[in-house]
Amino acid sequence: MSVNFNEASEQGSGAGPIPEGSIVVVVADIREPKAGKQGTINPLFCSAASGYEYLDMEFTVVSPKFKDRKIWQNFMLGFTKTATEKSQQAISISMRSLRAMVEASRRISPKDTSPEATKARIINDFSDLRSMLFPVVVGCEWGKPNDSGKRYLNNSINRIVTMDDERFDKVFEDPEGCLLSGKPLPPEPEAGAPAGGPKPAWVDPILEA
């Protein structure tokens, strides 16, 4: 039986990790909860033993230089136990980040309070976040050692770039679709050293276990 590879996509650029502080364009997706991990607030939410319910999001880089590189990040959106200052802060930060995704994708200025902008910030469901496209400022840090003791450099999203930022248009105009920070990749930690630096406030340590 013949196999037609003309219908398959080209392989990714293989450019490796994105340097800290660089800006790339990504498209958003939501990963479905694993069996036994579905939340109670929304069917798209995952649940954690800590009481948090969150969106497990996947961002695929569409910028040619780092095309198809994946970034995974959790966004806390609910808490099923007694609310705490920490849980409220985590949810607030996540909601602000999701708002920025909507604004950047729909090209709304964060300061625009017109009826049109107010309406455009409303989505029917969290599933509307799927396929939204926008620029982001990335972080870069070493992950925890795996079972064989090997670490990998991981990218994260530090900030959504909205249209009131002068870099918004620049990244779309760039032939490679990215604005490199020029920062070197972080050196690998010594054996036994903790991984990475400070994480975004919406990444709760309990969820990383």
Side-chain angles (χ1 to χ4, degrees):
M1 182 180 69
S2 63
V3 181
N4 184 3
F5 286 109
N6 290 298
E7 298 176 0
S9 301
E10 294 181 20
Q11 68 175 351
S13 63
I18 306 167
E20 174 90 21
S22 298
I23 298 176
V24 296
V25 180
V26 301
V27 62
D29 197 6
I30 299 171
R31 298 199 289 183
E32 298 283 346
K34 296 179 181 178
K37 291 291 186 179
Q38 190 175 66
T40 59
I41 300 172
N42 185 295
L44 286 175
F45 289 3
C46 302
S47 65
S50 60
Y52 280 110
E53 295 200 0
Y54 59 97
L55 278 182
D56 178 2
M57 297 195 70
E58 176 180 273
F59 303 91
T60 302
V61 178
V62 298
S63 303
K65 186 172 181 61
F66 297 98
K67 185 174 174 60
D68 294 332
R69 184 165 180 83
K70 305 286 187 181
I71 301 173
W72 296 279
Q73 206 139 304
N74 297 327
F75 294 85
M76 261 64 76
L77 296 171
F79 194 64
T80 58
K81 297 183 180 181
T82 303
T84 63
E85 182 178 350
K86 181 181 179 182
S87 68
Q88 291 175 330
Q89 181 185 31
I91 293 168
S92 175
I93 291 172
S94 292
M95 286 295 290
R96 291 202 300 265
S97 297
L98 298 184
R99 168 180 167 155
M101 292 180 198
V102 173
E103 290 175 333
S105 176
R106 297 182 173 178
R107 295 179 177 251
I108 310 165
S109 169
K111 296 179 175 60
D112 190 345
T113 58
S114 68
E116 294 79 12
T118 301
K119 183 178 180 180
R121 287 192 188 94
I122 300 172
I123 61 176
N124 296 315
D125 186 72
F126 284 103
S127 60
D128 287 355
L129 296 170
R130 285 179 163 141
S131 299
M132 286 194 173
L133 183 142
F134 43 84
V136 299
V137 181
V138 300
C140 185
E141 64 180 18
W142 287 94
K144 297 178 181 178
N146 59 20
D147 292 340
S148 62
K150 185 172 178 59
R151 297 178 187 259
Y152 292 92
L153 270 174
N154 299 318
N155 285 124
S156 59
I157 292 178
N158 283 350
R159 184 175 178 82
I160 315 300
V161 180
T162 51
M163 65 176 296
D164 57 333
D165 189 319
E166 62 179 11
R167 300 171 297 179
F168 184 88
D169 289 327
K170 288 181 180 179
V171 71
F172 283 107
E173 293 167 357
D174 188 88
E176 292 288 355
C178 64
L179 302 177
L180 294 177
S181 65
K183 295 181 180 179
L185 295 177
E188 183 172 3
E190 297 180 3
K199 291 180 172 57
W202 62 80
V203 181
D204 190 278
I206 299 174
L207 287 177
E208 296 185 301

Short mmCIF file of all heavy atoms in Angstrom, two decimals, residues 62-127:
data_model
loop_
_atom_site.label_atom_id
_atom_site.label_comp_id
_atom_site.label_asym_id
_atom_site.label_seq_id
_atom_site.Cartn_x
_atom_site.Cartn_y
_atom_site.Cartn_z
N VAL A 62 3.99 29.56 16.18
CA VAL A 62 3.79 29.61 14.72
C VAL A 62 4.86 30.47 14.05
O VAL A 62 4.97 30.48 12.82
CB VAL A 62 2.39 30.13 14.35
CG1 VAL A 62 1.31 29.19 14.89
CG2 VAL A 62 2.16 31.55 14.88
N SER A 63 5.65 31.19 14.84
CA SER A 63 6.76 31.98 14.28
C SER A 63 7.72 31.05 13.56
O SER A 63 8.13 30.02 14.12
CB SER A 63 7.50 32.72 15.39
OG SER A 63 6.61 33.55 16.13
N PRO A 64 8.10 31.36 12.30
CA PRO A 64 8.93 30.44 11.51
C PRO A 64 10.20 29.96 12.21
O PRO A 64 10.56 28.80 12.10
CB PRO A 64 9.26 31.27 10.26
CG PRO A 64 8.09 32.20 10.12
CD PRO A 64 7.70 32.55 11.52
N LYS A 65 10.88 30.84 12.95
CA LYS A 65 12.17 30.46 13.54
C LYS A 65 12.02 29.33 14.57
O LYS A 65 12.91 28.48 14.70
CB LYS A 65 12.84 31.66 14.19
CG LYS A 65 14.26 31.36 14.70
CD LYS A 65 14.96 32.62 15.16
CE LYS A 65 16.36 32.32 15.66
NZ LYS A 65 17.23 31.73 14.61
N PHE A 66 10.93 29.33 15.30
CA PHE A 66 10.71 28.31 16.34
C PHE A 66 9.42 27.53 16.08
O PHE A 66 8.79 27.02 17.00
CB PHE A 66 10.65 28.96 17.72
CG PHE A 66 11.93 29.65 18.12
CD1 PHE A 66 12.07 31.03 17.97
CD2 PHE A 66 13.00 28.94 18.63
CE1 PHE A 66 13.25 31.67 18.33
CE2 PHE A 66 14.18 29.57 19.00
CZ PHE A 66 14.30 30.95 18.84
N LYS A 67 9.04 27.42 14.84
CA LYS A 67 7.76 26.84 14.46
C LYS A 67 7.54 25.46 15.08
O LYS A 67 8.44 24.62 15.08
CB LYS A 67 7.66 26.74 12.93
CG LYS A 67 6.30 26.24 12.42
CD LYS A 67 6.23 26.32 10.91
CE LYS A 67 4.95 25.71 10.38
NZ LYS A 67 3.76 26.37 10.89
N ASP A 68 6.35 25.28 15.63
CA ASP A 68 5.86 24.02 16.21
C ASP A 68 6.41 23.72 17.60
O ASP A 68 6.08 22.68 18.17
CB ASP A 68 6.12 22.82 15.29
CG ASP A 68 5.32 22.92 13.99
OD1 ASP A 68 4.24 23.55 14.01
OD2 ASP A 68 5.76 22.39 12.96
N ARG A 69 7.25 24.60 18.16
CA ARG A 69 7.68 24.37 19.54
C ARG A 69 6.47 24.53 20.45
O ARG A 69 5.63 25.40 20.25
CB ARG A 69 8.78 25.35 19.94
CG ARG A 69 9.30 25.06 21.35
CD ARG A 69 10.61 25.74 21.64
NE ARG A 69 11.07 25.43 22.99
CZ ARG A 69 11.73 24.32 23.33
NH1 ARG A 69 12.02 23.42 22.40
NH2 ARG A 69 12.10 24.10 24.58
N LYS A 70 6.38 23.66 21.46
CA LYS A 70 5.24 23.65 22.37
C LYS A 70 5.58 24.28 23.72
O LYS A 70 6.69 24.12 24.23
CB LYS A 70 4.76 22.21 22.61
CG LYS A 70 4.43 21.42 21.36
CD LYS A 70 3.12 21.86 20.73
CE LYS A 70 2.75 20.92 19.59
NZ LYS A 70 1.48 21.33 18.94
N ILE A 71 4.61 24.97 24.27
CA ILE A 71 4.71 25.51 25.63
C ILE A 71 3.45 25.07 26.36
O ILE A 71 2.34 25.26 25.86
CB ILE A 71 4.81 27.05 25.63
CG1 ILE A 71 6.04 27.52 24.84
CG2 ILE A 71 4.86 27.59 27.06
CD1 ILE A 71 6.12 29.02 24.66
N TRP A 72 3.63 24.48 27.54
CA TRP A 72 2.48 24.03 28.32
C TRP A 72 2.40 24.83 29.61
O TRP A 72 3.41 25.06 30.27
CB TRP A 72 2.59 22.54 28.65
CG TRP A 72 2.55 21.67 27.42
CD1 TRP A 72 1.45 21.27 26.73
CD2 TRP A 72 3.68 21.10 26.74
NE1 TRP A 72 1.83 20.49 25.65
CE2 TRP A 72 3.18 20.37 25.63
CE3 TRP A 72 5.06 21.15 26.94
CZ2 TRP A 72 4.01 19.68 24.74
CZ3 TRP A 72 5.88 20.47 26.06
CH2 TRP A 72 5.36 19.73 24.98
N GLN A 73 1.18 25.23 29.97
CA GLN A 73 1.03 26.02 31.18
C GLN A 73 -0.36 25.83 31.78
O GLN A 73 -1.34 25.70 31.04
CB GLN A 73 1.26 27.51 30.86
CG GLN A 73 1.74 28.29 32.06
CD GLN A 73 2.82 29.29 31.67
OE1 GLN A 73 3.84 28.94 31.11
NE2 GLN A 73 2.58 30.53 31.99
N ASN A 74 -0.43 25.83 33.11
CA ASN A 74 -1.70 25.71 33.81
C ASN A 74 -2.19 27.08 34.26
O ASN A 74 -1.39 27.93 34.68
CB ASN A 74 -1.54 24.82 35.05
CG ASN A 74 -1.15 23.40 34.70
OD1 ASN A 74 -1.54 22.88 33.66
ND2 ASN A 74 -0.38 22.76 35.57
N PHE A 75 -3.52 27.27 34.20
CA PHE A 75 -4.12 28.52 34.65
C PHE A 75 -5.22 28.19 35.65
O PHE A 75 -6.24 27.60 35.30
CB PHE A 75 -4.68 29.30 33.45
CG PHE A 75 -3.62 29.78 32.51
CD1 PHE A 75 -3.15 28.95 31.51
CD2 PHE A 75 -3.06 31.05 32.64
CE1 PHE A 75 -2.15 29.37 30.64
CE2 PHE A 75 -2.06 31.47 31.78
CZ PHE A 75 -1.60 30.64 30.79
N MET A 76 -5.00 28.56 36.92
CA MET A 76 -5.95 28.28 37.98
C MET A 76 -7.19 29.15 37.83
O MET A 76 -7.09 30.38 37.75
CB MET A 76 -5.32 28.55 39.35
CG MET A 76 -4.81 27.32 40.04
SD MET A 76 -3.47 26.51 39.16
CE MET A 76 -2.12 27.58 39.55
N LEU A 77 -8.36 28.50 37.80
CA LEU A 77 -9.60 29.24 37.59
C LEU A 77 -10.68 28.92 38.61
O LEU A 77 -11.77 29.48 38.56
CB LEU A 77 -10.13 28.97 36.17
CG LEU A 77 -9.21 29.48 35.05
CD1 LEU A 77 -9.69 28.98 33.70
CD2 LEU A 77 -9.14 31.00 35.06
N GLY A 78 -10.40 27.99 39.51
CA GLY A 78 -11.38 27.64 40.54
C GLY A 78 -10.70 27.00 41.73
O GLY A 78 -9.57 26.51 41.63
N PHE A 79 -11.39 27.04 42.87
CA PHE A 79 -10.86 26.44 44.09
C PHE A 79 -12.04 25.85 44.84
O PHE A 79 -12.98 26.55 45.21
CB PHE A 79 -10.15 27.50 44.94
CG PHE A 79 -9.30 26.94 46.05
CD1 PHE A 79 -8.20 26.15 45.77
CD2 PHE A 79 -9.60 27.21 47.38
CE1 PHE A 79 -7.40 25.63 46.78
CE2 PHE A 79 -8.81 26.70 48.40
CZ PHE A 79 -7.71 25.91 48.10
N THR A 80 -12.03 24.54 45.06
CA THR A 80 -13.18 23.85 45.63
C THR A 80 -13.14 23.75 47.16
O THR A 80 -14.08 23.27 47.77
CB THR A 80 -13.29 22.43 45.04
OG1 THR A 80 -12.08 21.71 45.29
CG2 THR A 80 -13.53 22.49 43.54
N LYS A 81 -12.05 24.22 47.76
CA LYS A 81 -11.97 24.23 49.22
C LYS A 81 -12.23 25.66 49.70
O LYS A 81 -12.55 26.55 48.91
CB LYS A 81 -10.60 23.74 49.67
CG LYS A 81 -10.33 22.28 49.27
CD LYS A 81 -8.98 21.79 49.79
CE LYS A 81 -8.73 20.34 49.40
NZ LYS A 81 -7.43 19.84 49.91
N THR A 82 -12.10 25.89 50.99
CA THR A 82 -12.30 27.23 51.53
C THR A 82 -11.29 28.19 50.90
O THR A 82 -10.09 27.94 50.93
CB THR A 82 -12.14 27.24 53.07
OG1 THR A 82 -13.07 26.30 53.63
CG2 THR A 82 -12.40 28.62 53.62
N ALA A 83 -11.80 29.26 50.32
CA ALA A 83 -10.94 30.21 49.61
C ALA A 83 -9.91 30.82 50.54
O ALA A 83 -10.17 31.09 51.71
CB ALA A 83 -11.79 31.30 48.98
N THR A 84 -8.71 31.01 50.01
CA THR A 84 -7.63 31.66 50.74
C THR A 84 -7.14 32.85 49.92
O THR A 84 -7.48 32.99 48.74
CB THR A 84 -6.45 30.70 50.96
OG1 THR A 84 -5.91 30.33 49.67
CG2 THR A 84 -6.90 29.43 51.68
N GLU A 85 -6.36 33.70 50.54
CA GLU A 85 -5.80 34.85 49.82
C GLU A 85 -4.96 34.37 48.64
O GLU A 85 -5.00 34.94 47.54
CB GLU A 85 -4.96 35.70 50.75
CG GLU A 85 -4.39 36.96 50.08
CD GLU A 85 -3.59 37.82 51.04
OE1 GLU A 85 -3.63 37.55 52.27
OE2 GLU A 85 -2.93 38.76 50.57
N LYS A 86 -4.22 33.27 48.86
CA LYS A 86 -3.36 32.73 47.81
C LYS A 86 -4.19 32.19 46.64
O LYS A 86 -3.88 32.44 45.47
CB LYS A 86 -2.48 31.62 48.37
CG LYS A 86 -1.55 31.00 47.34
CD LYS A 86 -0.72 29.88 47.96
CE LYS A 86 0.20 29.24 46.93
NZ LYS A 86 0.97 28.12 47.51
N SER A 87 -5.27 31.47 46.94
CA SER A 87 -6.10 30.91 45.87
C SER A 87 -6.80 32.01 45.09
O SER A 87 -6.89 31.95 43.86
CB SER A 87 -7.12 29.93 46.44
OG SER A 87 -8.10 30.58 47.22
N GLN A 88 -7.26 33.05 45.78
CA GLN A 88 -7.92 34.16 45.10
C GLN A 88 -6.94 34.91 44.21
O GLN A 88 -7.29 35.33 43.11
CB GLN A 88 -8.55 35.10 46.14
CG GLN A 88 -9.73 34.49 46.88
CD GLN A 88 -10.26 35.37 47.99
OE1 GLN A 88 -9.50 36.14 48.61
NE2 GLN A 88 -11.55 35.29 48.26
N GLN A 89 -5.70 35.07 44.70
CA GLN A 89 -4.69 35.75 43.91
C GLN A 89 -4.35 34.94 42.65
O GLN A 89 -4.22 35.50 41.56
CB GLN A 89 -3.44 35.97 44.74
CG GLN A 89 -2.33 36.71 43.97
CD GLN A 89 -1.06 36.83 44.76
OE1 GLN A 89 -0.73 35.98 45.58
NE2 GLN A 89 -0.30 37.89 44.52
N ALA A 90 -4.22 33.62 42.80
CA ALA A 90 -3.88 32.77 41.66
C ALA A 90 -4.97 32.84 40.59
O ALA A 90 -4.67 32.93 39.39
CB ALA A 90 -3.69 31.33 42.13
N ILE A 91 -6.23 32.80 41.02
CA ILE A 91 -7.34 32.87 40.07
C ILE A 91 -7.38 34.23 39.39
O ILE A 91 -7.59 34.33 38.18
CB ILE A 91 -8.67 32.56 40.78
CG1 ILE A 91 -8.69 31.10 41.24
CG2 ILE A 91 -9.86 32.86 39.88
CD1 ILE A 91 -9.83 30.76 42.19
N SER A 92 -7.16 35.29 40.16
CA SER A 92 -7.16 36.64 39.61
C SER A 92 -6.07 36.81 38.55
O SER A 92 -6.31 37.38 37.47
CB SER A 92 -6.97 37.67 40.73
OG SER A 92 -6.87 38.98 40.21
N ILE A 93 -4.87 36.32 38.84
CA ILE A 93 -3.77 36.42 37.89
C ILE A 93 -4.07 35.63 36.62
O ILE A 93 -3.82 36.10 35.50
CB ILE A 93 -2.45 35.94 38.54
CG1 ILE A 93 -2.02 36.92 39.62
CG2 ILE A 93 -1.35 35.80 37.49
CD1 ILE A 93 -0.85 36.45 40.45
N SER A 94 -4.63 34.44 36.77
CA SER A 94 -4.98 33.63 35.61
C SER A 94 -6.03 34.32 34.76
O SER A 94 -5.93 34.34 33.52
CB SER A 94 -5.49 32.26 36.06
OG SER A 94 -4.45 31.50 36.63
N MET A 95 -7.05 34.90 35.40
CA MET A 95 -8.10 35.59 34.64
C MET A 95 -7.55 36.79 33.90
O MET A 95 -7.95 37.08 32.76
CB MET A 95 -9.24 36.01 35.58
CG MET A 95 -10.11 34.84 36.05
SD MET A 95 -11.03 34.07 34.68
CE MET A 95 -12.22 35.37 34.29
N ARG A 96 -6.61 37.51 34.51
CA ARG A 96 -5.99 38.64 33.83
C ARG A 96 -5.21 38.18 32.60
O ARG A 96 -5.22 38.83 31.55
CB ARG A 96 -5.06 39.40 34.79
CG ARG A 96 -5.79 40.13 35.90
CD ARG A 96 -4.94 41.26 36.48
NE ARG A 96 -3.68 40.80 37.05
CZ ARG A 96 -3.50 40.53 38.35
NH1 ARG A 96 -4.53 40.60 39.19
NH2 ARG A 96 -2.33 40.16 38.79
N SER A 97 -4.53 37.03 32.73
CA SER A 97 -3.76 36.50 31.60
C SER A 97 -4.69 36.06 30.47
O SER A 97 -4.42 36.32 29.30
CB SER A 97 -2.90 35.32 32.06
OG SER A 97 -1.95 35.74 33.02
N LEU A 98 -5.79 35.39 30.83
CA LEU A 98 -6.74 34.96 29.81
C LEU A 98 -7.41 36.16 29.14
O LEU A 98 -7.67 36.15 27.93
CB LEU A 98 -7.79 34.03 30.41
CG LEU A 98 -7.26 32.71 31.01
CD1 LEU A 98 -8.41 31.85 31.48
CD2 LEU A 98 -6.40 31.95 30.01
N ARG A 99 -7.70 37.19 29.92
CA ARG A 99 -8.24 38.42 29.32
C ARG A 99 -7.27 38.98 28.29
O ARG A 99 -7.67 39.38 27.19
CB ARG A 99 -8.52 39.46 30.41
CG ARG A 99 -8.81 40.85 29.84
CD ARG A 99 -9.07 41.89 30.88
NE ARG A 99 -9.03 43.24 30.30
CZ ARG A 99 -9.66 44.30 30.80
NH1 ARG A 99 -10.38 44.18 31.90
NH2 ARG A 99 -9.56 45.48 30.21
N ALA A 100 -5.99 39.00 28.64
CA ALA A 100 -4.98 39.52 27.71
C ALA A 100 -4.91 38.69 26.44
O ALA A 100 -4.69 39.22 25.34
CB ALA A 100 -3.61 39.57 28.39
N MET A 101 -5.10 37.36 26.56
CA MET A 101 -5.12 36.51 25.36
C MET A 101 -6.26 36.92 24.43
O MET A 101 -6.08 37.03 23.21
CB MET A 101 -5.29 35.04 25.75
CG MET A 101 -4.11 34.44 26.49
SD MET A 101 -4.44 32.69 26.91
CE MET A 101 -3.21 32.45 28.19
N VAL A 102 -7.43 37.14 25.01
CA VAL A 102 -8.60 37.54 24.22
C VAL A 102 -8.34 38.90 23.57
O VAL A 102 -8.61 39.10 22.38
CB VAL A 102 -9.86 37.57 25.10
CG1 VAL A 102 -11.05 38.15 24.32
CG2 VAL A 102 -10.20 36.17 25.60
N GLU A 103 -7.81 39.84 24.36
CA GLU A 103 -7.55 41.18 23.83
C GLU A 103 -6.52 41.15 22.71
O GLU A 103 -6.68 41.81 21.67
CB GLU A 103 -7.08 42.10 24.96
CG GLU A 103 -8.18 42.43 25.94
CD GLU A 103 -7.70 43.23 27.12
OE1 GLU A 103 -6.51 43.12 27.49
OE2 GLU A 103 -8.51 43.97 27.71
N ALA A 104 -5.44 40.39 22.90
CA ALA A 104 -4.39 40.34 21.87
C ALA A 104 -4.89 39.65 20.62
O ALA A 104 -4.60 40.09 19.50
CB ALA A 104 -3.17 39.60 22.43
N SER A 105 -5.65 38.58 20.79
CA SER A 105 -6.16 37.84 19.64
C SER A 105 -7.18 38.65 18.85
O SER A 105 -7.20 38.63 17.62
CB SER A 105 -6.79 36.52 20.10
OG SER A 105 -7.36 35.81 19.03
N ARG A 106 -8.02 39.39 19.56
CA ARG A 106 -9.09 40.16 18.92
C ARG A 106 -8.70 41.62 18.70
O ARG A 106 -9.52 42.43 18.30
CB ARG A 106 -10.37 40.07 19.75
CG ARG A 106 -10.90 38.63 19.82
CD ARG A 106 -12.20 38.50 20.60
NE ARG A 106 -12.72 37.14 20.49
CZ ARG A 106 -13.83 36.72 21.09
NH1 ARG A 106 -14.55 37.54 21.85
NH2 ARG A 106 -14.23 35.46 20.93
N ARG A 107 -7.44 41.92 18.98
CA ARG A 107 -6.86 43.25 18.76
C ARG A 107 -7.68 44.34 19.44
O ARG A 107 -8.12 45.31 18.83
CB ARG A 107 -6.70 43.53 17.26
CG ARG A 107 -5.67 42.58 16.63
CD ARG A 107 -5.48 42.79 15.14
NE ARG A 107 -4.43 41.88 14.66
CZ ARG A 107 -3.22 42.23 14.28
NH1 ARG A 107 -2.88 43.51 14.34
NH2 ARG A 107 -2.34 41.35 13.86
N ILE A 108 -7.84 44.16 20.74
CA ILE A 108 -8.52 45.13 21.59
C ILE A 108 -7.49 45.76 22.50
O ILE A 108 -6.70 45.06 23.14
CB ILE A 108 -9.59 44.45 22.47
CG1 ILE A 108 -10.50 43.55 21.64
CG2 ILE A 108 -10.40 45.49 23.23
CD1 ILE A 108 -11.33 42.60 22.50
N SER A 109 -7.48 47.06 22.60
CA SER A 109 -6.59 47.71 23.55
C SER A 109 -7.11 47.45 24.96
O SER A 109 -8.32 47.57 25.22
CB SER A 109 -6.54 49.22 23.30
OG SER A 109 -5.88 49.87 24.37
N PRO A 110 -6.23 47.10 25.90
CA PRO A 110 -6.67 46.88 27.29
C PRO A 110 -7.37 48.10 27.89
O PRO A 110 -8.17 47.97 28.82
CB PRO A 110 -5.37 46.58 28.03
CG PRO A 110 -4.46 46.03 26.98
CD PRO A 110 -4.80 46.81 25.74
N LYS A 111 -7.08 49.28 27.35
CA LYS A 111 -7.65 50.51 27.89
C LYS A 111 -8.95 50.91 27.19
O LYS A 111 -9.59 51.89 27.57
CB LYS A 111 -6.63 51.65 27.77
CG LYS A 111 -5.37 51.42 28.60
CD LYS A 111 -4.38 52.56 28.41
CE LYS A 111 -3.17 52.40 29.32
NZ LYS A 111 -2.42 51.15 29.06
N ASP A 112 -9.34 50.15 26.16
CA ASP A 112 -10.54 50.47 25.40
C ASP A 112 -11.79 50.06 26.18
O ASP A 112 -11.99 48.88 26.47
CB ASP A 112 -10.51 49.75 24.05
CG ASP A 112 -11.60 50.22 23.10
OD1 ASP A 112 -12.55 50.89 23.55
OD2 ASP A 112 -11.51 49.90 21.89
N THR A 113 -12.61 51.04 26.56
CA THR A 113 -13.83 50.75 27.32
C THR A 113 -15.09 50.98 26.49
O THR A 113 -16.19 51.07 27.03
CB THR A 113 -13.88 51.63 28.59
OG1 THR A 113 -13.82 53.02 28.20
CG2 THR A 113 -12.72 51.32 29.52
N SER A 114 -14.92 51.05 25.18
CA SER A 114 -16.07 51.27 24.31
C SER A 114 -17.01 50.08 24.36
O SER A 114 -16.62 48.97 24.74
CB SER A 114 -15.60 51.49 22.87
OG SER A 114 -15.04 50.29 22.34
N PRO A 115 -18.28 50.26 23.98
CA PRO A 115 -19.23 49.13 23.95
C PRO A 115 -18.73 47.98 23.07
O PRO A 115 -18.93 46.81 23.40
CB PRO A 115 -20.51 49.75 23.40
CG PRO A 115 -20.41 51.21 23.75
CD PRO A 115 -18.95 51.53 23.64
N GLU A 116 -18.08 48.31 21.96
CA GLU A 116 -17.58 47.28 21.05
C GLU A 116 -16.48 46.44 21.72
O GLU A 116 -16.48 45.22 21.62
CB GLU A 116 -17.03 47.92 19.77
CG GLU A 116 -18.06 48.61 18.89
CD GLU A 116 -18.45 49.99 19.39
OE1 GLU A 116 -17.77 50.52 20.29
OE2 GLU A 116 -19.46 50.54 18.90
N ALA A 117 -15.56 47.12 22.41
CA ALA A 117 -14.48 46.41 23.09
C ALA A 117 -15.01 45.58 24.25
O ALA A 117 -14.58 44.44 24.47
CB ALA A 117 -13.43 47.40 23.59
N THR A 118 -15.96 46.15 24.99
CA THR A 118 -16.56 45.43 26.11
C THR A 118 -17.22 44.14 25.63
O THR A 118 -17.08 43.08 26.26
CB THR A 118 -17.59 46.33 26.82
OG1 THR A 118 -16.94 47.52 27.28
CG2 THR A 118 -18.22 45.60 28.01
N LYS A 119 -17.93 44.22 24.53
CA LYS A 119 -18.59 43.04 23.96
C LYS A 119 -17.57 42.02 23.46
O LYS A 119 -17.74 40.81 23.62
CB LYS A 119 -19.52 43.46 22.83
CG LYS A 119 -20.31 42.31 22.23
CD LYS A 119 -21.26 42.80 21.14
CE LYS A 119 -22.04 41.63 20.55
NZ LYS A 119 -22.98 42.10 19.48
N ALA A 120 -16.48 42.52 22.86
CA ALA A 120 -15.47 41.62 22.27
C ALA A 120 -14.70 40.85 23.34
O ALA A 120 -14.09 39.82 23.04
CB ALA A 120 -14.49 42.42 21.41
N ARG A 121 -14.71 41.33 24.58
CA ARG A 121 -14.01 40.63 25.66
C ARG A 121 -14.83 39.47 26.22
O ARG A 121 -14.36 38.73 27.09
CB ARG A 121 -13.68 41.59 26.80
CG ARG A 121 -12.55 42.57 26.48
CD ARG A 121 -12.07 43.30 27.72
NE ARG A 121 -11.13 44.35 27.35
CZ ARG A 121 -11.48 45.62 27.14
NH1 ARG A 121 -12.74 45.99 27.28
NH2 ARG A 121 -10.56 46.51 26.79
N ILE A 122 -16.04 39.31 25.75
CA ILE A 122 -16.91 38.24 26.25
C ILE A 122 -16.79 37.02 25.34
O ILE A 122 -16.92 37.13 24.11
CB ILE A 122 -18.39 38.70 26.30
CG1 ILE A 122 -18.53 39.91 27.24
CG2 ILE A 122 -19.29 37.56 26.76
CD1 ILE A 122 -19.91 40.55 27.21
N ILE A 123 -16.51 35.86 25.92
CA ILE A 123 -16.47 34.62 25.15
C ILE A 123 -17.62 33.72 25.60
O ILE A 123 -18.13 33.86 26.71
CB ILE A 123 -15.11 33.89 25.30
CG1 ILE A 123 -14.85 33.51 26.76
CG2 ILE A 123 -13.98 34.75 24.75
CD1 ILE A 123 -13.56 32.70 26.97
N ASN A 124 -18.05 32.82 24.73
CA ASN A 124 -19.17 31.95 25.05
C ASN A 124 -18.79 30.89 26.08
O ASN A 124 -19.59 30.51 26.93
CB ASN A 124 -19.67 31.26 23.78
CG ASN A 124 -20.24 32.25 22.78
OD1 ASN A 124 -20.99 33.15 23.15
ND2 ASN A 124 -19.86 32.11 21.52
N ASP A 125 -17.56 30.43 25.99
CA ASP A 125 -17.08 29.39 26.88
C ASP A 125 -15.56 29.40 26.80
O ASP A 125 -14.98 29.98 25.88
CB ASP A 125 -17.63 28.01 26.46
CG ASP A 125 -17.26 26.93 27.45
OD1 ASP A 125 -17.83 26.91 28.56
OD2 ASP A 125 -16.40 26.08 27.14
N PHE A 126 -14.90 28.77 27.77
CA PHE A 126 -13.44 28.72 27.75
C PHE A 126 -12.92 28.04 26.48
O PHE A 126 -11.80 28.30 26.06
CB PHE A 126 -12.92 28.01 28.99
CG PHE A 126 -12.98 28.85 30.23
CD1 PHE A 126 -13.96 28.64 31.18
CD2 PHE A 126 -12.06 29.87 30.44
CE1 PHE A 126 -14.02 29.42 32.33
CE2 PHE A 126 -12.11 30.66 31.58
CZ PHE A 126 -13.10 30.44 32.53
N SER A 127 -13.74 27.20 25.86
CA SER A 127 -13.31 26.53 24.62
C SER A 127 -13.05 27.54 23.50
O SER A 127 -12.34 27.23 22.54
CB SER A 127 -14.35 25.51 24.17
OG SER A 127 -15.60 26.13 23.93
#
